[in-house]
Amino acid sequence: MNLLVKPVRSSLGKKYAMAVTGLLLIGFVLGHMAGNLLIYLGPDAINSYAHALKSNPGLLWTARIGLLLVFVIHVLLGVTLALENRAARPQRYEYDATLRASWASRNMMLTGLVILAFVIYHLAHFTLGVVTTTEDNKNYLDLVEVKQGLKTYVPEPSLNLSQLDPNQVDARHDVYRMVVSGFQIWWVSVSYWLAMAFLGLHLWHGGSSFLQTLGLNSFRYASVVRLIGPLLAILVVIGNSSIPLAVMLGLIK
Amino acid sequence: MKFTLHVWRQSGPNARGEMKQYEATGVNPDMSFLEMLDVVNQELIARGEEPIAFDHDCREGICGSCGIVINGVPHGPRRRLANGKIEAKTTCQTYMRDFTDGQHLWLEPWRAGAFPVIKDLVVDRSAFDRIMQAGGYISANTGGAPDGNAILIPKRDQEKAMDAAQCIGCGACVAACKNASAMLFVAAKVSHLGILPQGQPERAQRVVRMVEQMDKEGFGNCTNYMECEAACPKEISRQFIARMNRDYLWAQTQDLETTSSGGAG
Ligand code: HEM
Ligand code: FES
C-alpha cells in the first residue's frame, strides 16, 4: 500500500492526478463540443445523437458517474494544491512582480471555480430544464411518424415527455428546439459566452501545462507544447460559442 | 546617482520585520548593487545604527550566496540585451547603472516558508542542503585515479548534464515562484547526475528521495508558471522539470529498496 500511497500523496503525484483528470476533462470537452456541433447538420442529426446517448442507461450512467468522479478529484486536488501553495509563502512580498507567468496560469483557481459554477448552471439549464421555465421552453419532443414505411420524427412542442409513457409512444427529446429556444434569450447566450471565455483561459494554460506535468515536454518539442494549450482554448471557445451566435443571428432557427 | 531604498529589516528569526526607508546618495553608476549597500552600511555604522544584513561571498556570480529580491524580482530587474535575450544575473552582478537616478528600490529577502529569515535580507537555505543530502550525490570508489575518459559519455548527455550543473543553488527559483516551489532547483540537481553514466546506480532512489525531502521542507507545488526559469541567473530550463517528472514516474517502477543499499563494492 505504501508503495502507491507515497507517490500519489507527493507533490508530483498530486500534479500527475491533476494532469490526468485535466486530460480526461479535455477529452470530454472536445467530445461534447463535437456532439454540440451536430446542430449545424439539422434537428435530426443532433436529436438522434442525443437519443442514442440516452438510450443506453447503463453506458450513460457509467459515463456520468465516471465523469463526476474525475471532476470531483480534479476540483478537490486543485483546491488542496492551491491551499498548500499559499501556505508555502506565509509572508508575501511587499512589492510583487511577475516576470513571465500568464494571467491564465496565475488564476487557474478562479477560472476553475467559474467553470464549476457554469457546469451546475448548464446542467440545471439543459439537463434538468430549470433555468428557463417558460411554457414553450420545456420538454420539447419529437414524435415518430411513419411516412411511406420510413420512420421520421416530427417536432411536437405541445407534448410533454414526462406525461407520456415511453413504452407506449416512440418519442425522443427535441434537443434541437430546446437549444435554439434557449439561446434565443439574449442573456442565456451571453452567459454561455462568458463561461466559454473562462474555460478558454483555463485551457490556455492547462492545455500545455498538463504535458509538462506528465513529463511530455522536451527541448525538441517545447515550441509545440507551448502552442497546444492556446490552440485548444481557441478551438473550444470558437466551436462552442458559435452555436449561441448562430442562433442569435438567426442562422439556426 | 541617488536612490531611495525600502529595506526589509528584521532583527532575528522570530522578530517581527518591517520595511524601512533609507537614502543612498553619491552612488557611482559602476558600483555593483552590493557595493552600494556596503556604502549605505558604512553610513549606518557611522550613525551608530545596525547595518543591513545581506548574504554574499564570491561577488562574481558563481557561488550562489547573494540574493535580494529587488522590486519584486529575485536578483533584481533584468535588462533586454542587444541580442534580444533577457539578461541572466545574480544580485552581485547587478550594477547601479541599470537603474534610473532617483528610483525607489524595494529590497526584500527570498520569501518562502522553507527559507526562514535569519536577519534582514539573509535567509536560511539549509533546506537545499538537506535535499542534496537526500540524494544529490553519487557513490564512487576511492583508490587509484581512474583514466580520464574511461567512461564514454555522449556529447549531448555531457552538455545537457552541464546545463543542469550550472545551478548554483541560490534559491532564486523559489523566491520567484508564486508557490515558493523548489522544482527547478531539485530538477537541476536530479538531472545533472541522472543524465550521466556515473549517476545511474542511484538514479531511481535519487529522484524519489530528493522529491520526498523537497515536500518535507514545505516548498510549494509546481503550477508551471515558469517564473523560476525567468528568474534563474543560470538559465536552467523548464525541460529539466519535465525530465524530473518523467524520472519520478519511471522510478516508481524500480525496486527502490535494493538500489538504496549502496552495494558492497
Ligand atoms: C471542463 C473542465 C476542466 C478542464 C478541461 C480542466 C483542465 C485542466 C488542466 C488540463 C489542467 C492542467 C493540469 C496540470 O497543470 O498538469 C488544470 C489545472 C487546474 N485546474 Fe482544471 N479543468 C477543469 C475544471 C476545473 C475546475 C472546475 C476547477 C475548480 C477548482 C479546476 C481547477 C484547477 C486548478 C486549480 C488547476 C491548477 C493546478 C496546479 O497546477 O496547481 N479545474 N485543469
Ligand atoms: S556573491 Fe557569489 S553569486 Fe553573488
Side-chain angles (χ1 to χ4, degrees):
Chain A
M1 231 5 228
N2 204 15
L3 205 70
L4 247 174
V5 167
K6 243 186 173 172
V8 169
R9 286 179 59 185
S10 72
S11 56
L12 297 202
K14 275 178 276 192
K15 277 304 310 255
Y16 296 143
M18 211 58 204
V20 170
T21 52
L23 174 62
L24 291 171
L25 290 172
I26 288 173
F28 167 74
V29 164
L30 290 178
H32 191 34
M33 182 173 78
N36 295 342
L37 292 176
L38 288 175
I39 200 160
Y40 290 115
L41 300 181
D44 190 52
I46 191 159
N47 286 356
S48 51
Y49 163 71
H51 191 61
L53 282 186
K54 286 208 170 175
S55 57
N56 189 340
L59 209 68
L60 180 69
W61 280 100
T62 312
R64 278 179 172 172
I65 290 169
L67 199 59
L68 181 70
L69 210 65
V70 165
F71 202 75
V72 167
I73 293 174
H74 188 82
V75 171
L76 290 183
L77 270 180
V79 172
T80 309
L81 287 168
L83 291 177
E84 286 179 358
N85 294 341
R86 274 195 84 79
R89 174 162 293 139
Q91 172 83 46
R92 317 207 72 77
Y93 286 108
E94 304 276 334
Y95 190 119
D96 207 8
T98 295
L99 294 170
R100 182 177 296 172
S102 63
W103 189 92
S105 73
R106 287 180 281 125
N107 291 280
M108 290 300 275
M109 196 67 229
L110 172 70
T111 52
L113 287 176
V114 173
I115 296 169
L116 177 62
F118 168 72
V119 167
I120 295 168
Y121 165 76
H122 181 51
L123 288 175
H125 181 203
F126 282 149
T127 309
L128 305 174
V130 296
V131 172
T132 47
T133 47
T134 49
E135 198 46 47
D136 63 351
N137 197 14
K138 220 176 158 186
N139 296 308
Y140 284 105
L141 209 60
D142 278 356
L143 268 185
V144 77
E145 198 179 61
V146 182
K147 269 189 197 157
Q148 296 154 354
L150 266 177
K151 237 168 107 173
T152 40
Y153 285 91
V154 291
E156 282 289 349
S158 56
L159 290 174
N160 194 325
L161 189 60
S162 55
Q163 285 156 10
L164 294 172
D165 183 353
N167 297 320
Q168 295 290 315
V169 292
D170 194 351
R172 65 182 188 184
H173 195 47
D174 191 352
V175 174
Y176 182 86
R177 202 96 320 270
M178 176 183 74
V179 169
V180 170
S181 70
F183 288 148
Q184 273 165 351
I185 307 167
W186 68 269
W187 59 265
V188 172
S189 284
V190 170
S191 68
Y192 274 73
W193 287 326
L194 271 178
M196 283 310 112
F198 279 91
L199 178 59
L201 286 166
H202 204 75
L203 292 178
W204 188 279
H205 177 66
S208 293
S209 178
F210 85 89
L211 290 165
Q212 168 83 5
T213 301
L214 293 176
L216 300 173
N217 199 356
S218 74
F219 288 100
R220 270 175 77 187
Y221 299 115
S223 51
V224 180
V225 167
R226 202 192 302 261
L227 276 179
I228 291 178
L231 285 180
L232 203 62
I234 291 167
L235 181 74
V236 168
V237 170
I238 291 182
N240 281 333
S241 301
S242 73
I243 298 171
L245 186 68
V247 172
M248 293 296 276
L249 293 178
L251 301 175
I252 301 177
K253 353 185 215 274
Chain B
M1 299 177 94
K2 69 190 261 296
F3 298 95
T4 304
L5 308 181
H6 305 266
V7 185
W8 182 258
R9 300 306 307 263
Q10 181 173 341
S11 59
N14 300 315
R16 267 183 60 94
E18 55 172 344
M19 299 302 285
K20 278 223 174 111
Q21 195 174 322
Y22 301 92
E23 300 299 325
T25 48
V27 176
N28 183 318
D30 292 328
M31 279 180 180
S32 77
F33 199 85
L34 300 186
E35 281 164 347
M36 182 274 294
L37 281 181
D38 290 337
V39 171
V40 171
N41 274 345
Q42 283 309 318
E43 289 170 9
L44 287 180
I45 292 165
R47 291 209 302 261
E49 287 179 44
E50 189 72 17
I52 300 161
F54 60 90
D55 247 333
H56 62 102
D57 189 14
C58 70
R59 296 207 179 193
E60 55 184 19
I62 55 171
C63 75
S65 295
C66 65
I68 301 173
V69 178
I70 307 166
N71 288 0
V73 183
H75 291 304
R78 318 164 109 209
R79 291 172 307 146
R80 188 174 286 280
L81 301 174
N83 62 7
K85 279 187 68 180
I86 304 286
E87 116 189 282
K89 55 158 180 56
T90 53
T91 309
C92 60
Q93 295 290 293
T94 298
Y95 295 91
M96 298 319 290
R97 56 177 176 263
D98 298 346
F99 299 95
T100 48
D101 197 14
Q103 201 179 345
H104 283 244
L105 302 175
W106 298 72
L107 278 56
E108 296 179 72
W110 286 178
R111 295 223 189 264
F115 286 164
V117 171
I118 297 171
K119 192 177 178 185
D120 299 341
L121 303 173
V122 180
V123 297
D124 178 359
R125 282 171 287 190
S126 51
F128 271 12
D129 299 335
R130 289 188 290 274
I131 292 174
M132 289 304 280
Q133 282 158 9
Y137 53 80
I138 59 158
S139 300
N141 293 328
T142 53
D147 273 354
N149 290 315
I151 302 172
L152 295 179
I153 305 173
K155 187 161 179 350
R156 54 161 200 278
D157 291 351
Q158 185 192 8
E159 286 187 341
K160 223 178 267 174
M162 279 309 290
D163 284 347
Q166 292 285 315
C167 173
I168 51 177
C170 64
C173 44
V174 176
C177 178
K178 305 284 175 200
N179 303 343
S181 167
M183 287 285 279
L184 194 63
F185 166 77
V186 179
K189 297 304 177 190
V190 161
S191 300
H192 139 221
L193 298 173
I195 289 170
L196 295 174
Q198 292 90 338
Q200 296 313 306
E202 288 132 334
R203 179 168 158 197
Q205 80 168 50
R206 176 180 307 113
V207 61
V208 169
R209 287 186 181 178
M210 289 180 84
V211 167
E212 209 170 273
Q213 190 63 34
M214 170 180 85
D215 292 351
K216 244 187 239 164
E217 299 290 349
F219 291 106
N221 308 284
C222 180
T223 299
N224 302 320
Y225 301 117
M226 300 312 159
E227 286 288 287
C228 53
E229 192 186 60
C232 178
K234 297 296 161 185
E235 302 179 293
I236 306 287
S237 165
R238 70 182 72 184
Q239 298 306 336
F240 291 113
I241 297 182
R243 193 197 162 278
M244 174 167 76
N245 288 342
R246 282 197 295 280
D247 219 29
Y248 185 83
L249 213 50
W250 161 82
Q252 304 308 322
T253 68
Q254 303 297 304
D255 194 342
L256 294 170
E257 292 314 316
T258 48
T259 51
S260 69
S261 62

